[in-house]
Amino acid sequence: IHTPVRRLSTGEAGFRRRFTALKIKDRYLGGGYAVEESDKKIRNIMCYALICLIAFSVMLLLNQQTVYTADDYMYHFFWEGSRPGSTTRLLQGIADIPASLWNHYQGFNGRVVSHGIVMFFMLFDKMVFNVCNSLMYVVMGWLLLFYIEAEKKKRRPWHLGVIYLAMWTFFPHFGWSVLWVSGSCNYLWMNGLLLLFFFPYHRRMSAGETFGHPLLICLPVMILGFLAGASSENGGGAIVLLAMLFVGHWLWKRERIPAFAGPGILFAAAGMAILLFAPSSRSRMVSEPFQIAVYLKRIREVIGFSYHYILPLLVVLLVEVFFWIRHKKRRKEPWIPCLLVPFYYCLSGAASVVVLLASPIISGKSWIFAVSFLLIAVGQIALWMEEDGCKIQKGKRLFLGLLIVLSVIKFVFAWTDIHRTYSEVQNQLCLIEEQKAQGITEVEVPLLTPTENTYNVIRHSPNVSKDPEDWFNQWMALYYGVDSIKGVEP
């Protein structure tokens, strides 16, 4: 029996075609979207990895060409004083470090955290420090990225690339604060320690959450707080002030204060007290009488260093704030609450500079904490403006273009200068070994060519001089096993 096949009407046929198309779309388009998102994540991961690899490789190359200078030779030895003596010996292992640090704390300064790291690296070949320091530079970029952009979904690989370029361009006296062994441990590494300690505070402020229960992170925050407070005189004080500003903000807003906030501040303050009240620090404070001329000189130095290292970023920040306020006023929206958190970072950075007026020796590398806080503030405002629909595309492209050009120019000059110094130092070391082989114990080596490049570690730093009794010459002679080293004109 043949059942007659009913022909579909035009409307029914169209409906079935549309229905089938929808089923196919639901079945495959969703999967295609997931595949597209997966591909995008893979591309982002590869971009992040490439950017980190480039930053690491460049830093490793520069670190390998950076020589020991200033305090580096001294920290190879068990600390007994700033001059070598008859009993001075090389550090034999990690077990020597605590006792050496105690002598250092009593007689030189209270930075036991940073100098402990310096002494640790001096136990190994310099390549170990070169690799670790390059990794630290990469980690610092990620820390700044986490501070600038709280939400993971809004981060982009090019954000990280811009941060590395900004670090290279704006970090003060790059040779001393990033490449020099003793300087990097005191400034780059301690800068990372400060940001690591403060990250739970930042996370609570920006995202309204912390990692796990606040009580569970109390112990890590207290330990990191103590180490951060004892990291450096101006950096430790700045991070304590920043934490207090955040807690004050929560009190003002009548928000719940996380359990780790108070203990973290107390332990950071305790670490700072141990640093400031070291016997060596107190003796210098007591021995220095108040002199107006001395403090006027320090004020001029602080203003001068701030002009060189902070003014460019400050100009960028003020331009951002101007356009942000104008944008908010046009939309009749409040603008002050949005700028409070960047203001806290700027205020803490300024405090890290002002407190240097009490320091007998002021060096440009101490501005690294203020520069880092300013970079965070500039980055936060820039991303908020972009998310809020403020038209900053032209300004962003101009800034990125200038940053790339300036970075490339600086790298070319820095590499040329650093490589020249490295070659000259290698020549010195070869001459020392040659004269030792000939039985000469009072060796002579050519002086290094002076430089004004801030990426070169020997700029204005102690190095081989014409006087064999100079403290650097004595430490270098002891390290290479000769009676004396004298610098002569090449």
Side-chain angles (χ1 to χ4, degrees):
I1 300 173
H2 298 282
T3 304
V5 178
R6 185 175 67 87
R7 293 179 177 273
L8 296 175
S9 66
T10 305
E12 288 177 325
F15 174 79
R16 286 198 175 187
R17 285 196 300 270
R18 288 193 298 270
F19 181 76
T20 304
L22 286 173
K23 287 178 67 178
I24 294 174
K25 188 175 181 179
D26 288 339
R27 180 177 298 176
Y28 297 107
L29 186 57
Y33 178 74
V35 171
E36 184 180 346
E37 282 295 305
S38 177
D39 291 343
K40 185 178 179 181
K41 289 182 180 179
I42 293 174
R43 287 196 301 269
N44 282 344
I45 291 173
M46 293 179 64
C47 289
Y48 279 126
L50 179 61
I51 291 170
C52 291
L53 180 62
I54 293 173
F56 174 81
S57 301
V58 171
M59 286 300 109
L60 182 60
L61 187 64
L62 291 172
N63 271 286
Q64 287 178 327
Q65 297 286 306
T66 299
V67 298
Y68 284 138
T69 187
D71 300 343
D72 289 343
Y73 285 109
M74 181 171 59
Y75 286 117
H76 280 89
F77 296 88
F78 187 91
W79 180 267
E80 293 178 340
S82 57
R83 293 267 184 170
S86 57
T87 60
T88 302
R89 61 178 177 84
L90 287 167
L91 290 169
Q92 300 299 316
I94 296 177
D96 274 348
I97 293 179
S100 181
L101 279 177
W102 175 253
N103 294 341
H104 187 273
Y105 180 80
Q106 295 288 326
F108 199 67
N109 64 46
R111 296 185 184 181
V112 293
V113 179
S114 56
H115 287 111
I117 298 175
V118 175
M119 293 179 186
F120 173 79
F121 281 123
M122 295 307 179
L123 296 173
F124 308 97
D125 184 82
K126 190 174 182 292
M127 178 56 71
V128 176
F129 169 80
N130 294 341
V131 173
C132 293
N133 197 51
S134 303
L135 286 173
M136 189 64 205
Y137 188 84
V138 173
V139 171
M140 177 61 64
W142 277 98
L143 283 172
L144 291 175
L145 177 64
F146 292 156
Y147 270 80
I148 291 172
E149 182 51 82
E151 297 185 30
K152 181 180 179 181
K153 294 182 179 180
K154 296 180 180 179
R155 297 179 195 136
R156 298 292 182 270
W158 69 270
H159 293 169
L160 183 62
V162 172
I163 289 173
Y164 285 132
L165 290 176
M167 290 166 59
W168 166 259
T169 303
F170 296 113
F171 270 6
H173 207 319
F174 201 91
W176 278 14
S177 61
V178 177
L179 299 178
W180 176 35
V181 178
S182 299
S184 180
C185 294
N186 274 275
Y187 296 97
L188 177 66
W189 287 66
M190 293 303 100
N191 195 13
L193 176 61
L194 296 181
L195 296 181
L196 186 63
F197 154 68
F198 193 73
F199 192 68
Y201 294 82
H202 168 77
R203 183 75 179 178
R204 172 65 175 80
M205 176 70 79
S206 59
E209 60 182 13
T210 56
F211 301 102
H213 196 279
L215 288 175
L216 296 178
I217 64 173
C218 267
L219 182 59
V221 168
M222 288 188 294
I223 295 174
L224 289 173
F226 181 81
L227 297 175
S231 62
S232 65
E233 293 81 358
N234 61 326
I239 210 66
V240 170
L241 173 61
L242 187 57
M244 292 174 64
L245 288 172
F246 272 42
V247 172
H249 179 91
W250 293 326
L251 288 173
W252 174 46
K253 294 289 186 178
R254 297 183 180 179
E255 298 179 9
R256 185 176 181 180
I257 299 175
F260 62 80
I265 293 175
L266 291 176
F267 273 75
M272 187 173 62
I274 290 177
L275 168 68
L276 294 177
F277 293 103
S280 52
S281 301
R282 286 190 285 110
S283 63
R284 283 197 298 267
M285 292 172 62
V286 172
S287 62
E288 289 184 2
F290 176 80
Q291 295 181 356
I292 295 179
V294 172
Y295 281 92
L296 288 176
K297 178 177 177 293
R298 292 179 186 175
I299 291 173
R300 289 195 299 269
E301 289 178 340
V302 166
I303 294 175
F305 281 121
S306 299
Y307 173 80
H308 286 290
Y309 297 128
I310 292 182
L311 184 61
L313 277 176
L314 189 59
V315 170
V316 175
L317 179 68
L318 293 177
V319 170
E320 285 183 339
V321 170
F322 171 78
F323 283 104
W324 175 262
I325 294 175
R326 192 179 69 168
H327 173 71
K328 284 295 186 180
K329 284 188 174 182
R330 284 179 176 177
R331 299 175 61 171
K332 297 181 180 179
E333 296 176 353
W335 57 270
I336 293 180
C338 302
L339 295 177
L340 283 177
V341 173
F343 172 74
Y344 297 152
Y345 282 102
C346 292
L347 184 61
S348 299
S352 72
V353 170
V354 174
V355 75
L356 292 171
L357 292 173
S359 175
I361 300 176
I362 299 176
S363 176
K365 54 187 180 291
S366 300
W367 266 250
I368 191 171
F369 308 111
V371 170
S372 296
F373 290 165
L374 264 178
L375 282 175
I376 292 172
V378 168
Q380 286 178 342
I381 296 175
L383 290 182
W384 293 346
M385 291 172 69
E386 189 172 12
E387 293 170 7
D388 204 44
C390 187
K391 297 179 180 179
I392 59 171
Q393 295 301 321
K394 292 183 179 179
K396 185 173 67 174
R397 293 192 190 100
L398 177 61
F399 176 76
L400 291 180
L402 291 175
L403 187 61
I404 292 172
V405 171
L406 187 60
S407 298
V408 171
I409 293 174
K410 284 194 170 189
F411 178 80
V412 171
F413 283 100
W415 169 254
T416 303
D417 204 62
I418 292 172
H419 182 68
R420 187 200 68 231
T421 297
Y422 176 80
S423 301
E424 291 179 357
V425 171
Q426 293 306 307
N427 181 47
Q428 287 182 339
L429 301 184
C430 289
L431 290 174
I432 291 174
E433 294 302 324
E434 289 176 3
Q435 294 177 65
K436 282 176 62 178
Q438 297 171 8
I440 301 174
T441 58
E442 296 180 353
V443 302
E444 295 183 352
V445 296
L447 298 172
L448 299 180
T449 304
T451 179
E452 290 298 322
N453 192 296
T454 57
Y455 292 84
N456 193 329
V457 72
I458 71 160
R459 179 182 181 267
H460 299 172
S461 68
N463 217 289
V464 175
S465 65
K466 296 180 179 180
D467 184 8
E469 298 301 317
D470 182 77
W471 68 270
F472 179 88
N473 293 40
Q474 290 183 347
W475 283 112
M476 189 175 181
L478 184 63
Y479 182 76
Y480 287 107
V482 297
D483 291 341
S484 65
I485 294 179
K486 178 182 179 181
V488 295
E489 294 292 340

